[in-house]
Amino acid sequence: MVPGSTTDQRLLDSRGPSDWVHTDPWRVMRIQAEFVEGFGSLAELGPAISVFGSARTRPEHPDYQLACDLGRALVEAGFAVITGGGPGAMAGANQGAHEAGGVSVGLGIELPFEQGMNEWVDLGINFRYFFARKTMFVKYAQGFAVLPGGFGTFDELFEALVLVQTRKVTSFPIALLGRDYWQGMLDWIAGPVLERGMIKREDVDLLHVTDDVEEVVELMVAARRGHALRPTPHAAE
């Protein structure tokens, strides 16, 4: 099976179809580029907390002010704030962080209904691939704070829960802000899910629900202390 042309020849020849840039091997390079950009941009970020919440939260809604208060309090406690970079609760958390003089990070995602990066982001990175973006949310954060949200928020929340449950990450607190919003889900988890043996009793305790921003911050600060005491893992081979 001798090819009719060499790789160099095909590379240097400008003629012919361009659909090769959409093939899976080329996508691997795009994926690699997203990881490289994310790692390079966030490697020196320092302690940070990823904040999630609905893009549909209106600025006049109490949840928006709650997000602002959370972003501000996290910065005052020495954390950078990472969000999805979009509007709604994400913008609120970025606004609070920015106005408090901290580092306000937005990790955007390419969507059919374009949202764009909110104006309060100081360091913004846009991703094509959800899985590359999700890696950055976890790798460069020491905890998750979750405001009321929809499917995207649930997706990030439960992915974090699985990572903690399976010990892929350690000393990683997950706080839910808004008891009235989250209580129904917590009752379901502690009820049918636990009763059928789908999870263990200790798994229920992985979620901390509160209405108090300061309680969330205290949880994150305690985890930061624990993180600092853990030995540094060996570099990957």
Side-chain angles (χ1 to χ4, degrees):
M1 298 180 64
V2 179
S5 62
T6 66
T7 302
D8 284 340
Q9 181 183 1
R10 293 191 296 273
L11 174 64
L12 297 173
D13 193 341
S14 61
R15 299 168 297 174
S18 60
D19 58 352
W20 62 276
V21 301
H22 303 295
T23 60
D24 286 343
W26 182 249
R27 287 191 181 97
V28 170
M29 300 301 293
R30 284 184 171 177
I31 292 166
Q32 177 178 303
E34 293 206 346
F35 279 106
V36 169
E37 181 181 4
F39 292 160
S41 299
L42 302 175
E44 299 180 358
L45 182 61
I49 302 299
S50 287
V51 178
F52 298 100
S54 177
R56 303 182 185 188
T57 301
R58 304 297 301 171
E60 63 272 14
H61 194 280
D63 286 347
Y64 189 93
Q65 185 59 52
L66 188 65
C68 287
D69 294 343
L70 176 62
R72 182 177 301 107
L74 287 170
V75 164
E76 291 172 351
F79 293 103
V81 171
I82 304 173
T83 79
M90 293 176 282
N94 285 133
Q95 180 178 350
H98 176 85
E99 292 179 342
V103 180
S104 177
V105 180
L107 306 181
I109 186 69
E110 182 181 77
L111 294 171
F113 39 94
E114 194 62 43
Q115 295 180 339
M117 204 73 73
N118 71 66
E119 63 180 304
W120 305 107
V121 169
D122 303 316
L123 172 58
I125 309 171
N126 280 302
F127 293 86
R128 287 188 179 93
Y129 300 99
F130 267 113
F131 54 84
R133 178 179 182 244
K134 287 179 177 180
T135 299
M136 305 305 152
F137 278 129
V138 177
K139 178 172 175 58
Y140 293 104
Q142 294 183 0
F144 276 5
V146 189
L147 294 148
F151 288 164
T153 303
F154 302 157
D155 177 51
E156 298 292 355
L157 167 60
F158 280 98
E159 183 160 24
L161 275 173
V162 171
L163 291 173
V164 176
Q165 180 195 49
T166 56
R167 300 184 182 178
K168 294 294 186 182
V169 292
T170 54
S171 299
F172 196 91
I174 303 171
L176 306 178
L177 260 172
R179 187 177 294 276
D180 61 337
Y181 186 83
W182 296 109
Q183 193 59 53
M185 183 190 75
L186 294 174
D187 292 342
W188 171 67
I189 290 173
V193 179
L194 179 61
E195 290 166 4
R196 292 196 184 192
M198 304 301 176
I199 59 173
K200 296 179 180 179
R201 165 57 63 182
E202 55 264 33
D203 293 335
V204 178
D205 298 330
L206 297 177
L207 289 166
H208 303 265
V209 62
T210 181
D211 293 315
D212 188 353
V213 166
E214 290 305 318
E215 186 176 337
V216 173
V217 174
E218 289 171 6
L219 181 68
M220 302 303 167
V221 169
R224 180 173 61 190
R225 293 195 195 103
H227 187 271
L229 295 173
R230 295 203 316 273
T232 303
H234 295 296
E237 296 180 357

